[in-house]
Amino acid sequence: MRVTVPVEIKLRDLHGAIWLTLKLLERGYEVVLGETDSIRNGIDLLEPDVFIRIGISTNPDIISTCKYLQSTGCSVIVVDSEGGVSQTDDRFREMNPSSGMLQYTDAYFSWGQEQADIITDTHGYPEESAILSGHPRFDLLHDSLRKIYAPQRSKVLDTVGQYILVCTNFVFANSAALDESEFPPDEVELQSTLLEEYRSLVMRLASDFDQHSIIVRPNPMESEMSYREHFSDIDTVSVRREGDVRPWLFGADAMVHYNSTTGIESALFGTLPV
């Protein structure tokens, strides 16, 4: 049986996708691990028996792919990568709209009971097909597995010394590529205000904790350059996005985040999230 395992954002998803691939291989599955769009575009060549999707999509092309795959006998599975972070139930409903994709989804692997209830109660998805699983990339934060990040953590500490990590998540106000005119105006306004507050916070941290480096790590969908330009005159502030965020979380004395899964990861590492 052939399973496709997608990598949507390499910095976020790669290690978890490799972990899931290894577990599937142990159980005798044939696995295709690859970039999300490449897998979808090559679906006729790959001919999977199980197609894994990262979250529910409203994209008509993705919905069409799922519909086509079901018609061939392939099982379509959603493993939601971002389902554990939502400010309110309503926000989670907005993140996972009744887009039509659910009718072509054979199983929905949920972060928890709350998310599963919203999918089933709000969108009418069958309860027996909503499976409480968490997300496999968080397995790597168990005590017995997190040591894989130790060498990178040591390298980070050797390079920057003591530091406070600031993880930003202001895509609506600081997008790297997307057209901001398509974003909800209220979200753009809110994030623009928060972005300015975060910039001020970083400058206060640099002043109050002058024995620490302040590492600003933008969301993968944010522009790095805007942060580099803003903090270019402060020697102790560095904007870094290379590699997986987890070694940086592991080595930080504290971390600051806004509405991000890095807060969950930081807490699991035992690093103080703020």
Side-chain angles (χ1 to χ4, degrees):
M1 181 175 288
R2 180 177 296 168
V3 182
T4 58
V5 175
V7 177
E8 186 172 61
I9 299 176
K10 183 178 178 181
L11 292 178
R12 181 193 69 192
D13 298 329
L14 182 58
H15 289 168
I18 292 173
W19 173 249
L20 177 58
T21 295
L22 291 172
K23 289 299 177 182
L24 289 169
L25 290 172
E26 284 181 359
R27 288 160 174 76
Y29 292 94
E30 181 181 353
V31 182
V32 178
L33 171 68
E35 192 269 335
T36 302
D37 288 341
S38 296
I39 287 176
R40 186 167 61 85
N41 293 335
I43 209 69
D44 287 332
L45 178 63
L46 296 173
E47 297 183 339
D49 299 292
V50 178
F51 176 79
I52 297 178
R53 258 294 304 165
I54 303 281
I56 296 171
S57 176
T58 58
N59 185 317
D61 291 336
I62 293 175
I63 295 173
S64 178
T65 297
C66 294
K67 180 179 180 180
Y68 164 73
L69 285 169
Q70 274 201 340
S71 73
T72 68
C74 176
S75 296
V76 177
I77 292 174
V78 168
V79 181
D80 205 333
S81 65
E82 296 294 333
V85 177
S86 55
Q87 295 165 320
T88 64
D89 288 355
D90 286 341
R91 182 56 57 89
F92 182 77
R93 291 185 184 96
E94 292 170 7
M95 290 168 57
N96 295 274
S98 184
S99 62
M101 181 175 167
L102 281 171
Q103 65 182 304
Y104 306 117
T105 300
D106 294 287
Y108 177 89
F109 285 82
S110 173
W111 277 66
Q113 187 65 57
E114 183 177 358
Q115 291 81 12
D117 288 345
I118 290 172
I119 289 293
T120 56
D121 296 344
T122 302
H123 303 306
Y125 191 70
E127 290 186 12
E128 65 272 15
S129 299
I131 301 164
L132 276 62
S133 65
H135 194 281
R137 66 190 174 99
F138 283 84
D139 292 356
L140 298 175
L141 298 180
H142 289 177
D143 289 342
S144 61
L145 296 172
R146 68 175 61 177
K147 60 187 177 183
I148 67 169
Y149 299 108
Q152 293 166 292
R153 172 181 180 267
S154 297
K155 184 177 180 180
V156 166
L157 289 170
D158 288 344
T159 302
V160 302
Q162 286 185 296
Y163 64 94
I164 297 169
L165 183 66
V166 179
C167 294
T168 66
N169 186 22
F170 304 112
V171 177
F172 289 160
N174 184 39
S175 174
L178 301 177
D179 182 358
E180 293 183 14
S181 66
E182 299 180 0
F183 298 153
D186 58 334
E187 287 289 347
V188 173
E189 182 179 2
L190 172 62
Q191 288 200 9
S192 295
T193 300
L194 289 170
L195 177 57
E196 289 306 312
E197 292 293 334
Y198 258 62
R199 287 170 172 165
S200 298
L201 171 64
V202 169
M203 296 178 77
R204 292 200 302 272
L205 289 172
S207 174
D208 294 347
F209 297 91
D210 55 2
Q211 299 302 309
H212 283 71
S213 295
I214 310 299
I215 306 298
V216 177
R217 186 176 176 99
N219 180 283
M221 299 301 292
E222 279 192 90
S223 168
E224 272 186 88
M225 188 53 64
S226 67
Y227 292 110
R228 293 188 185 280
E229 291 173 353
H230 193 85
F231 300 122
S232 60
D233 294 333
I234 307 177
D235 292 338
T236 57
V237 176
S238 178
V239 181
R240 310 287 287 267
R241 193 162 61 189
E242 67 271 17
D244 194 300
V245 68
R246 291 179 170 187
W248 293 91
L249 292 169
F250 202 2
D253 285 341
M255 68 85 67
V256 181
H257 76 101
Y258 167 70
N259 194 32
S260 172
T261 53
T262 56
I264 299 173
E265 291 169 303
S266 179
L268 291 172
F269 271 127
T271 301
L272 176 65
V274 180

